[in-house]
Amino acid sequence: MSDFFNTYGSLIVFMVLNALLALSLYLPLMAGQLSLASPGFFALGGYIAAIMSTKVFHVEAGAYPLGYVLIEMLLAALASGVLALIVGIPSLRLRGIYLALATIAFIEIVRVLSLTLEITGGAVGIFGIPQPFGTPLGYLWLALPLLIVAALAIWRLERVRVGRAFNAIRADELAAGAMGINTTYHKVLAFTLGAILAGIVGVVYAHVLNTWNARQGTFEAGVAYLTYVLIGGSRTVVGPIVGGLALTALPEVLRSLGGESLPTWLNNFLNSGQSIIYGTLIVLSTTFFPQGLITPRLLRFWRRTRASNDQ
Amino acid sequence: MKIRQIQQVLIALLVVSLLAACGGDATPTSAPADSGGSAEPTSSSGQAAPSGEPIPIGVAVAQTSNVSLFGQEQVTGAKIAEQYFNDNGGVNGRPIKLIFQDTAGDEAGAINAFQTLINQDKVVAIVGPTLSQQAFSADPIAVQNKVPVVGPSNTAGGIPQIGEYVSRVSAPVSAVAPNAIRYALDQNPDIKKVAVLYAQNDAFSKSETVVFQRAVTDTYKLELAPVQTFQTTDTDFTTQATAVLNEKPDLVIISGLATDGGNLVKQLRELGYTGPIIGGNGFNTTNIFPVCQRFCDGIILAQAYSYQQESEINQAFRKAYKDAQGKEPPQFSAQAFAGVQVIVEALRKLGDLSSMALEQTREQLNQQILAGTYETPLGQLSFTPEGDINQSTFYVAVIKMNDSGTDGTFEFVK
């Protein structure tokens, strides 16, 4: 079992962190806003962690204090929140595909800035980020509570007034406005909450990766997070989490399925054909389950089956 | 109803595949070399490993993603090395076995590949990863686990300093790049003004241009025109080419990758630049020929490898590569070969491995790697105590295109 955790420690952490990133995209989607801005805030959080831990806090030997990481997370949350307000208020006047385009432009601005600025290390980036834990698995102490808190908070959010307002805006923005819901306020709120979450995840990610550069949090990454949400399910909080966990694990699962006992061609296919299998799965799920695999209907169906079994 | 069943089946498949990952772990994909392994080091001394049991060496390079052009050249080089050394007695009678794990192009992939190689495949050492950024991410994992890593293509500054288990057979850009300027000055001593361009979003080009600029201003005391930048994804370089031409330089130095760099050369020439052009290491591939065609002619390149190098091992490598691929071996393949070679020759000096636990093998192997001197296809090389490479010779090549401009060769001039 220890071998298992040694081998897959980092993978488990990546799974949890990617589930969190999927949630950060799910938040604006709750209010019907297709925003791809999460990677931008994710990159910002990572740079805050990288710069603070290598240039501001100097820790000579031993493990990097966890308190510092928490300070970085707080800073990243603040910075992402403020930036999200600045970006969100004008860009959320746009709808649908135009909002998506504006947020892609935002990601590009962040990327080009991090390539040009001296403090972000240009294309090489920042390396030698100190480690608060001895093993990769230690990061679960940060990532897992974060996932549980975020999931519970969103689950709760869907059941209070604000969440219902999000839902109303998603169903019909015009009608929601006519019912007296302040649509701008709620849209910016959903956008900002997602940004704060992405920023915090960026901090943890930077420490896990040991290094941070402009290749993190790009448009491609944004599309990957969107896939987690779309395949997992964009209508319940469980969907993005399952999507993030499963799709991050998938390539590694395929890697471990390969082995000496299999015929060579199959082994080669599992090793190098990962992208083919991944792509096929995406096409299949989006064709047959446009709402994602885990839909509210399915959850209700499961609940009913369980209830009737209990009787 | 039917849809719901399919839906549940798909979800079940995902969950089962997750469980399969756990199950698959119980049977490691390859047998550990040193019986015993990490759990009980004492048991290994009792039962000597059979002489035929291969020694596992990990190769973690980018076999997929947009870096795979380099990664696949590295796989080819490493496979030739495996064949070559197993045909030449292996490690004191025991064969070596390369275990490949794909890192893809990102940092997380490199970490996952390293973890699998170290903990599941129980390799004695790792050759990889492809990119410097991936090395910054994954090499600390190897250092934590005390596994030697030999970087086949990590050229950024700071790589050997990651930890004592990290070394590289790829010469840092600071050592290679200035050779091209020296050659250009030998050809034309009247060069006064130099224009430098680089791909801003490429880590390698960014490190390389710093070296070029320093060599221009500090070493050779030449005048440097304002530096122009571009992106590897650009296709139109009119702005940069015009700005360069307005400065009337005697020499142009470009750090970029094959496609963007080739297009830039083409557009510079089309706009009327006639002076010499130095290309960075990103130009060091035959893939550039179709991009700039006849305009490629005359580009000067500094290289860490020449297939014309005359040593016996390079000729053996060159022949094996040509037989398999039908063309001359590129630098990435030669460096991957050298990475495997360094590990194999160090293993040979360790003596009987069967009496050593895996940790002990890895530790002593690392010391042995750093201590040795190796005759590789790259020429003679050794390591600094930190693990950086001391390479004895570098090469300068000039691109020669055929008359129709469809194909060309690298002509080594030094």
Side-chain angles (χ1 to χ4, degrees):
Chain A
M1 212 49 188
S2 80
D3 249 12
F4 172 76
F5 282 119
N6 282 336
T7 312
Y8 292 113
S10 333
L11 177 66
I12 295 169
V13 174
F14 287 133
M15 285 164 64
V16 174
L17 290 177
N18 284 347
L20 276 161
L21 286 171
L23 282 182
S24 80
L25 219 68
Y26 173 70
L27 271 163
L29 267 183
M30 279 169 73
Q33 305 305 309
L34 175 59
S35 148
L36 291 171
S38 284
F41 297 104
F42 169 69
L44 176 73
Y47 275 117
I48 288 178
I51 293 169
M52 294 298 283
S53 62
T54 54
K55 301 201 172 115
V56 182
F57 305 133
H58 286 286
V59 180
E60 287 308 318
Y64 186 72
L66 203 55
Y68 285 179
V69 182
L70 296 178
I71 296 176
E72 290 163 18
M73 287 163 80
L74 196 68
L75 273 174
L78 279 175
S80 305
V82 172
L83 188 63
L85 283 180
I86 299 171
V87 174
I89 292 173
S91 63
L92 287 168
R93 301 170 74 98
L94 303 167
R95 284 185 198 177
I97 191 79
Y98 300 104
L99 173 66
L101 281 177
T103 50
I104 292 171
F106 167 71
I107 307 176
E108 276 300 290
I109 293 172
V110 173
R111 190 181 68 91
V112 170
L113 269 183
S114 48
L115 282 172
T116 359
L117 291 178
E118 268 314 304
I119 192 165
T120 51
V124 180
I126 299 170
F127 52 88
I129 297 177
Q131 300 294 303
F133 301 104
T135 61
L137 203 63
Y139 283 99
L140 274 189
W141 290 112
L142 278 176
L144 210 52
L146 206 58
L147 180 64
I148 293 169
V149 169
L152 283 179
I154 294 174
W155 181 75
R156 194 60 212 137
L157 187 69
E158 284 176 331
R159 279 153 188 79
V160 297
R161 192 180 170 280
V162 176
R164 298 204 185 278
F166 285 175
N167 219 333
I169 296 173
R170 176 168 63 184
D172 189 331
E173 192 175 330
L174 227 63
M179 307 261 298
I181 293 170
N182 183 345
T183 52
T184 312
Y185 168 81
H186 283 99
K187 287 194 305 189
V188 174
L189 180 67
F191 182 76
T192 310
L193 286 176
I196 291 176
L197 186 59
I200 294 176
V201 177
V203 171
V204 185
Y205 227 106
H207 283 279
V208 179
L209 284 187
N210 302 303
T211 175
W212 201 253
N213 52 50
R215 300 178 341 125
Q216 313 305 324
T218 53
F219 169 63
E220 287 86 4
V223 174
Y225 310 154
L226 191 63
T227 332
Y228 302 155
V229 181
L230 292 184
I231 293 189
S234 54
R235 291 299 162 102
T236 68
V237 64
V238 191
I241 298 179
V242 172
L245 290 174
L247 291 182
T248 313
L250 193 64
E252 293 304 308
V253 170
L254 294 176
R255 189 206 292 275
S256 78
L257 283 182
E260 311 261 292
S261 53
L262 296 172
T264 326
W265 63 268
L266 186 61
N267 201 359
N268 284 345
F269 180 67
L270 286 173
N271 272 326
S272 41
Q274 291 169 6
S275 344
I276 300 177
I277 300 175
Y278 194 88
T280 314
L281 269 180
I282 291 176
V283 171
L284 282 182
S285 339
T286 42
T287 314
F288 292 107
F289 311 105
Q291 286 206 341
L293 283 179
I294 296 179
T295 55
R297 266 182 71 188
L298 183 76
L299 289 182
R300 271 202 302 278
F301 173 72
W302 278 349
R303 219 170 289 147
R304 264 209 311 279
T305 333
R306 207 175 46 210
S308 61
N309 283 347
D310 287 348
Q311 278 165 10
Chain B
M1 236 22 200
K2 213 166 192 179
I3 287 284
R4 179 166 295 156
Q5 278 163 359
I6 303 176
Q7 191 171 4
Q8 285 181 321
V9 166
L10 260 179
I11 294 172
L13 262 179
L14 278 182
V15 174
V16 166
S17 66
L18 284 185
L19 294 177
C22 317
D25 169 69
T27 48
T29 48
S30 69
D34 303 286
S35 44
S38 56
E40 13 179 356
T42 44
S43 72
S44 57
S45 53
Q47 31 177 273
S51 63
E53 198 184 338
I55 303 172
I57 297 172
V59 180
V61 294
Q63 288 165 264
T64 57
S65 87
N66 57 351
V67 199
S68 59
L69 270 184
F70 303 132
Q72 282 167 1
E73 289 185 348
Q74 292 174 321
V75 168
T76 316
K79 278 188 174 153
I80 292 175
E82 181 182 32
Q83 182 75 39
Y84 177 83
F85 290 108
N86 279 340
D87 289 348
N88 285 285
V91 175
N92 308 327
R94 271 175 75 177
I96 59 161
K97 180 176 185 322
L98 296 187
I99 298 174
F100 292 88
Q101 293 291 0
D102 178 21
T103 63
D106 60 339
E107 285 74 5
I111 289 184
N112 287 335
F114 268 51
Q115 295 280 18
T116 308
L117 284 173
I118 293 169
N119 296 300
Q120 201 176 53
D121 299 328
K122 309 238 184 282
V123 298
V124 293
I126 298 175
V127 178
T130 305
L131 296 179
S132 292
Q133 294 112 314
Q134 291 180 308
F136 286 129
S137 196
D139 286 0
I141 304 277
V143 173
Q144 260 172 18
N145 288 286
K146 297 192 167 41
V147 179
V149 186
V150 179
S153 53
N154 314 137
T155 47
I159 296 278
Q161 287 76 22
I162 292 172
E164 58 170 324
Y165 282 84
V166 180
S167 56
R168 62 172 164 195
V169 292
S170 45
V173 272
S174 55
V176 186
N179 293 293
I181 304 185
R182 192 174 312 139
Y183 173 78
L185 282 174
D186 286 347
Q187 295 295 303
N188 182 1
D190 296 332
I191 291 174
K192 293 277 179 303
K193 191 167 185 181
V194 182
V196 172
L197 302 101
Y198 73 98
Q200 198 178 32
N201 58 338
D202 176 55
F204 181 83
S205 302
K206 159 98 179 157
S207 328
E208 192 180 61
T209 195
V210 173
V211 175
F212 272 132
Q213 289 174 33
R214 209 176 291 146
V216 166
T217 51
D218 300 356
T219 318
Y220 299 108
K221 311 280 181 213
L222 301 169
E223 188 189 347
L224 184 65
V227 174
Q228 301 290 327
T229 60
F230 55 92
Q231 308 273 320
T232 51
T233 45
D234 285 353
T235 48
D236 177 20
F237 301 94
T238 323
T239 327
Q240 289 91 340
T242 320
V244 165
L245 286 173
N246 285 341
E247 294 291 332
K248 297 192 176 31
D250 308 310
L251 171 69
V252 171
I253 302 178
I254 302 170
S255 293
L257 303 181
T259 317
D260 46 312
N263 272 318
L264 177 52
V265 167
K266 188 173 167 210
Q267 294 178 21
L268 257 179
R269 291 288 191 215
E270 281 172 348
L271 286 172
Y273 176 72
T274 50
I277 295 179
I278 291 179
N281 204 27
F283 285 46
N284 196 354
T285 159
T286 49
N287 297 334
I288 198 170
F289 297 153
V291 183
C292 49
Q293 297 170 348
R294 65 192 166 86
F295 296 113
C296 297
D297 200 71
I299 298 177
I300 304 166
L301 301 166
Q303 303 201 343
Y305 170 67
S306 156
Y307 53 75
Q308 287 166 348
Q309 207 246 27
E310 276 169 5
S311 69
E312 195 182 324
I313 191 154
N314 182 48
Q315 290 313 316
F317 166 68
R318 183 180 173 187
K319 184 174 178 304
Y321 189 93
K322 253 185 148 168
D323 288 349
Q325 306 284 323
K327 55 179 183 184
E328 299 289 356
Q331 175 180 321
F332 279 96
S333 301
Q335 286 174 330
F337 183 99
V340 175
Q341 179 184 4
V342 160
I343 293 170
V344 170
E345 290 191 2
L347 277 169
R348 281 176 180 164
K349 285 188 213 138
L350 280 187
D352 187 12
L353 296 178
S354 56
S355 63
M356 275 191 258
L358 185 57
E359 284 92 351
Q360 204 184 351
T361 313
R362 286 169 171 172
E363 194 188 326
Q364 295 196 10
L365 175 61
N366 188 55
Q367 292 167 1
Q368 200 58 250
I369 288 175
L370 294 181
T373 304
Y374 309 88
E375 289 296 337
T376 70
L378 303 173
Q380 193 189 65
L381 60 88
S382 60
F383 295 102
T384 67
E386 258 180 340
D388 212 346
I389 182 179
N390 286 323
Q391 187 171 341
S392 56
T393 35
F394 294 106
Y395 311 90
V396 177
V398 175
I399 296 182
K400 283 276 174 271
M401 300 299 292
N402 62 10
D403 291 334
S404 57
T406 47
D407 200 10
T409 49
F410 294 103
E411 196 165 279
F412 288 88
V413 290
K414 193 182 135 245

